[in-house]
């Protein structure tokens, strides 16, 4: 299974109108049949995991943090919970990490990352608390508190990393080349990407693509991903969607415009990008898979210049690339390992 092709892990959550009850949703593994002349996405129901049936996740929400070597990192949040889990969908094992040191009552943005060191081979979860004291849920300015902590699987405890010098986007931080990456929100920052070194546990500015501005645009969104094994950035305006790819890791001059979409065409209608989209995977036939506004799983053909809805899932979904393995969580000492009691 470790040699199986890359697929997708979908977190699907159908929100019920008229109810205030939280639901954790369902994890669904999508197998990609990828050939040079065609592709096919297949949802494997046997590998689905209905978190709504797991007692540990009741009346809460789940966020898909990341996946490394078949291990999934999940963040559980809700009215009375703030927990982090590592699980393997193949073995149905999961472990609950200890309560966070920086757990606080009140409003805060939590930034997550998950990766493995290139030198130490240690798996680590990074958690950054971005908030104000006292809490101010309406503030759009730089938070007064930016603190980070890290958890090494098998250590049994979180460690404080202290102050983080950058204000980071809270969305998914892709892992690549021993680093987790996020968009930087500080307006005066010389670079707009921050990279966390898993081995050295340091936050550093990372070379970002040239900043382009469309003054007449009403929206501007940025997101990071991994495309063809390279770091990529989606630069989204309402009239243009650009995908930048860093051909040589860490080299600023290697940023290249892989795709520029000035008019997104659909067989149904002409679309404009009015919300965030992030790139998932590049297929051999030139198709790029992406998620738009946690609402649709889209496929853009670089050959036909047409974007289509895969119609594979209903709305309210997030996704990451996923490659299954039989890595046992029992290999990490000092961790309690449980098995999901749900049925497929």
């Amino acid at each position: 299974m470790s040699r199986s092709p890359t697929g997708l892990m979908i977190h699907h959550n159908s929100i019920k109108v008229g109810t205030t009850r939280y639901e954790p949703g369902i994890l669904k593994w999508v197998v990609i049949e990828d050939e040079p002349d065609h592709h096919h996405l297949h949802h494997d129901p046997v590998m689905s995991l209905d978190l709504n049936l797991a007692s540990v996740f009741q009346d809460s929400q789940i966020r898909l943090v990341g996946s490394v070597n078949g291990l999934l990192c999940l963040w559980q949040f809700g009215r009375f919970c703030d927990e982090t889990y590592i699980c393997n969908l193949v073995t149905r094992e999961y472990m609950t990490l200890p309560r966070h040191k920086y757990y606080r009552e009140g409003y805060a943005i939590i930034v997550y990352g998950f990766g493995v060191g290139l030198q130490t081979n240690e798996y680590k979860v990074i958690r950054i608390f971005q908030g104000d004291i006292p809490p101010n849920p309406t503030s759009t300015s730089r938070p007064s508190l930016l603190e980070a902590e890290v958890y090494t699987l098998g250590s049994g405890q979180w460690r404080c990393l202290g102050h983080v010098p950058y204000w980071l986007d809270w969305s998914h931080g892709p892992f690549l080349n021993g680093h987790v990456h996020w968009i930087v929100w500080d307006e005066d920052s010389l670079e707009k990407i921050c990279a966390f070194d898993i081995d050295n546990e340091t936050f550093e500015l990372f070379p970002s693509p040239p900043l382009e501005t469309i003054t007449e645009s009403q929206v501007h969104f940025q997101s990071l991903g991994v495309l063809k094994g390279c770091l990529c950035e989606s630069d989204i305006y309402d009239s243009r969607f650009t995908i930048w790819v860093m051909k040589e890791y860490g080299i600023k001059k290697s940023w290249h415009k892989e795709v520029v979409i000035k008019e997104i065409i659909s067989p149904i209608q002409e679309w404009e990008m009015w919300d965030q989209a992030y790139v998932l995977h590049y297929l051999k036939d030139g198709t790029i898979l992406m998620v738009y506004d946690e609402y649709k799983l889209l496929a853009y053909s670089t050959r036909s210049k047409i974007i289509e809805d895969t119609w594979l899932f209903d709305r309210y979904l997030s996704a990451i690339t996923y490659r299954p393995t039989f890595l046992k969580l029992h290999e990490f000492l000092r961790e309690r390992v449980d098995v999901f009691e749900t049925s497929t």
Side-chain angles (χ1 to χ4, degrees):
M1 295 188 73
S2 63
R3 293 192 297 270
S4 62
T6 299
L8 302 178
M9 182 58 65
I10 304 291
H11 177 230
H12 186 217
N13 187 18
S14 296
I15 299 178
K16 297 181 180 179
V17 178
T19 178
T20 58
R21 179 178 176 82
Y22 293 106
E23 292 189 351
I26 305 174
L27 293 177
K28 299 179 178 181
W29 181 24
V30 175
V31 179
I32 303 176
E33 179 185 331
D34 189 10
E35 300 296 335
D37 56 346
H38 75 280
H39 69 268
H40 176 69
L41 305 181
H42 170 64
H43 167 224
D44 187 351
V46 176
M47 288 295 293
S48 294
L49 183 61
D50 192 343
L51 302 177
N52 301 308
L53 302 178
S55 59
V56 69
F57 294 132
Q58 291 302 304
D59 199 22
S60 66
Q61 292 180 285
I62 292 294
R63 182 181 171 197
L64 198 56
V65 173
S67 175
V68 179
N69 296 335
L71 299 184
L72 293 172
C73 180
L74 307 176
W75 175 34
Q76 179 191 25
F77 59 97
R79 294 186 182 93
F80 307 105
C81 60
D82 179 14
E83 304 289 351
T84 307
Y85 300 87
I86 304 296
C87 68
N88 188 327
L89 201 62
V90 176
T91 63
R92 288 301 200 264
E93 295 176 328
Y94 75 93
M95 57 189 183
T96 308
L97 304 191
R99 175 56 65 92
H100 315 287
K101 295 179 64 175
Y102 283 101
Y103 175 77
R104 298 171 184 263
E105 297 292 340
Y107 177 81
I109 295 296
I110 308 297
V111 178
Y112 263 92
F114 180 49
V116 60
L118 296 181
Q119 300 175 5
T120 61
N121 201 35
E122 293 179 332
Y123 291 80
K124 297 180 182 181
V125 179
I126 309 96
R127 174 177 157 104
I128 306 165
F129 185 96
Q130 300 188 152
D132 292 306
I133 300 177
N136 183 6
T138 63
S139 175
T140 58
S141 59
R142 195 178 200 271
S144 59
L145 179 65
L146 297 169
E147 298 286 343
E149 57 187 354
V150 64
Y151 188 93
T152 302
L153 298 194
S155 67
Q157 63 180 354
W158 290 89
R159 290 180 291 107
C160 177
L161 296 180
H163 177 70
V164 178
Y166 312 111
W167 181 20
L168 307 178
D169 185 359
W170 62 271
S171 60
H172 169 60
F175 170 76
L176 179 67
N177 199 33
H179 294 75
V180 182
H181 309 78
W182 301 276
I183 295 290
V184 174
W185 278 1
D186 293 301
E187 294 184 358
D188 58 350
S189 177
L190 297 178
E191 301 289 355
K192 295 302 180 181
I193 297 178
C194 172
F196 177 79
D197 189 318
I198 296 293
D199 284 321
N200 297 325
E201 299 183 353
T202 54
F203 294 89
E204 300 291 344
L205 287 179
F206 189 83
S208 55
L211 181 61
E212 299 182 327
T213 302
I214 301 180
T215 55
E216 64 272 18
S217 177
Q218 301 182 49
V219 299
H220 184 206
F221 298 99
Q222 294 173 294
S223 64
L224 298 176
V226 177
L227 197 63
K228 296 189 289 186
C230 299
L231 187 68
C232 71
E233 178 179 306
S234 298
D235 201 10
I236 304 164
Y237 294 92
D238 50 23
S239 60
R240 190 182 67 190
F241 182 20
T242 304
I243 300 178
W244 295 84
V245 173
M246 185 178 242
K247 298 293 187 178
E248 298 181 57
Y249 185 79
I251 305 301
K252 188 176 181 65
K253 293 183 178 180
S254 70
W255 280 108
H256 168 73
K257 284 186 180 181
E258 188 76 15
V259 175
V260 179
I261 309 171
K262 294 185 178 180
E263 184 179 7
I264 300 179
I265 302 175
S266 165
I268 302 176
Q269 61 180 346
E270 293 184 0
W271 285 0
E272 288 186 335
M273 305 297 280
W274 285 95
D275 216 314
Q276 192 171 44
Y278 58 92
V279 171
L280 288 173
H281 193 54
Y282 188 92
L283 304 178
K284 294 178 182 178
D285 65 354
T287 298
I288 298 176
L289 300 176
M290 65 183 76
V291 171
Y292 173 62
D293 190 26
E294 296 187 353
Y295 185 79
K296 294 177 180 292
L297 179 62
L298 303 179
Y300 173 74
S301 172
T302 56
R303 297 177 180 178
S304 65
K305 311 300 182 183
I306 292 178
I307 191 166
E308 296 181 295
D309 192 336
T310 62
W311 300 108
L312 195 59
F313 301 104
D314 294 329
R315 57 185 179 178
Y316 305 121
L317 62 91
S318 59
I320 57 175
T321 56
Y322 175 76
R323 178 171 293 167
T325 67
F326 282 112
L327 181 60
K328 302 286 288 184
L329 297 184
H330 288 285
E331 296 182 10
F332 300 100
L333 302 178
R334 299 184 183 179
E335 305 290 0
R336 173 186 171 181
V337 179
D338 298 294
V339 179
F340 287 109
E341 70 276 16
T342 63
S343 58
T344 57

